[in-house]
Structure formats: C-alpha cells, structure tokens
Amino acid sequence: MDEGAMRDVGRLLAYEEIRQLAARYALAVDSRDLDGLCALFVDDVRVTRDTSGREALRASFADQLRPLGVTILNVGTHVIDLLDEDHATGHVYCKGEIQEGSRWIHQAILYRDVYERRGGRWYFVRRRHDLWYGADVGANPIGLPPANWPERSYGSGTVPSLWKTWQEFTDPEGNKAGENGEMP
C-alpha cells in the first residue's frame, strides 16, 4: 500500500475511534458505568481549576448524575476535525431524555470536544456540554406498568436496571431489584 493510502486508512481509523468515544460516553452515562466513563478521558484530565485526574472526574460525574434518574443519550451528528496524527476537535449533537425527580425532560445537546491520541488510543481531553434547550415532556414514562415486551409495546421496560453498573450506582448497599428490574 502506498504512503497516501496508508495516511487515508489512518485518518479513517481515527474518525471511527473518535466516534466510538462519543457512543461509549453515552452508554457509560446511561448505565452509570463511572469507571468506563472516566477511562474515556486522558489520565490527567482537568476537572476544575484546582483538580485533575480520573478520580476527581469520577467524583464530579457521580455528583452530577446522583440527582438524576434514568438518562437516555442518543448521539447523532458528529463532525471531527483532525488537527494532526494525535490531536482533533469535534462537535457532537445529542438528544437526551432525562428523569429529574418526577419530571421527564428532553434536551438538545451540543458537545464541543477536544481529543488526543496517547499510546495509540484516542481519549477526550475536554468535553463541553452546551444546550440548545431543555424542556419538560407531557408524560413521564417512569412509573408506567411493565410493558413485558413483546406483549405490549408501551409501558416500562427493563433498561437501565438490567445493567449491573446501574444497580451498583443506584443501590450501593446491594439490595435486590424488584419485579421488572426496578430497584426497591
């Protein structure tokens, strides 16, 4: 393979690896996999003016996610600008559904990202969360009777309670999940 084709393959691989960062971020947030979430960031990530590192990031995410119930992040448009072989920036559109107490909120989110490749792997250096809007939805799906898919296509399902990381985050004492995976 000639040198130009190798560069093209390397660029395509970089685009795909960076896209996977955004998808893995959404899954880790929704499943409350804080270890997996923090592993997507450089090890010396700056969290605040005075704190850095993955442990500080983990504590920050725990504080941000603790008041929320179910989240559903759906990644859409993702524009990536490769700056060189190891640095890139990106803009990611995301539609979010968020349970905040008894409220069910829709958000249109723009993430503004900085990426860096270290040791052959791409990471987030920084991820800024900006909103187009956040708005209440008329009906909150939490508390609906079980759907029991495929019996019914409406009602509550088994996600996110099927994830062990969700169970551990929402019930650190390890109480058993109730019917349909709901936490007591």
Side-chain angles (χ1 to χ4, degrees):
M1 190 177 290
D2 71 20
E3 193 174 306
M6 287 297 288
R7 272 194 312 273
D8 290 345
V9 170
R11 290 176 63 83
L12 289 172
L13 185 57
Y15 286 132
E16 184 54 29
E17 289 174 354
I18 292 169
R19 280 189 196 97
Q20 283 294 308
L21 278 178
R24 290 182 187 286
Y25 178 96
L27 180 60
V29 167
D30 292 346
S31 66
R32 298 303 189 270
D33 180 359
L34 298 186
D35 292 334
L37 181 60
C38 293
L40 301 173
F41 289 80
V42 292
D43 59 352
D44 59 344
V45 60
R46 187 170 182 177
V47 180
T48 68
R49 183 176 307 203
D50 302 320
T51 62
S52 62
R54 289 182 179 152
E55 283 306 310
L57 183 63
R58 190 182 201 292
S60 176
F61 276 129
D63 289 345
Q64 294 172 53
L65 295 171
R66 183 82 48 215
L68 304 179
V70 174
T71 58
I72 305 166
L73 299 180
N74 187 11
V75 175
T77 301
H78 192 171
V79 175
I80 301 164
D81 294 308
L82 296 175
L83 305 176
D84 60 36
E85 289 182 1
D86 296 318
H87 299 90
T89 60
H91 291 83
V92 180
Y93 290 24
C94 181
K95 290 290 283 189
E97 295 189 39
I98 295 111
Q99 177 192 7
E100 187 177 81
S102 62
R103 299 169 61 202
W104 192 260
I105 300 166
H106 278 187
Q107 288 186 344
I109 304 162
L110 171 66
Y111 290 106
R112 294 182 295 142
D113 296 337
V114 176
Y115 315 106
E116 186 174 312
R117 184 166 57 177
R118 293 184 181 179
R121 184 172 169 203
W122 285 95
Y123 296 93
F124 291 110
V125 172
R126 182 174 61 240
R127 178 155 247 224
R128 296 197 189 267
H129 177 282
D130 295 309
L131 283 181
W132 270 283
Y133 69 86
D136 285 331
V137 176
N140 183 338
I142 302 302
L144 292 173
N148 295 325
W149 177 259
E151 183 181 319
R152 279 190 308 276
S153 61
Y154 60 92
S156 65
T158 57
V159 181
S161 295
L162 61 83
W163 286 312
K164 185 176 188 330
T165 50
W166 173 269
Q167 294 167 20
E168 291 167 351
F169 184 86
T170 57
D171 184 23
E173 271 94 58
N175 297 313
K176 292 286 186 194
E179 183 179 320
N180 205 23
E182 296 142 359
M183 299 307 296

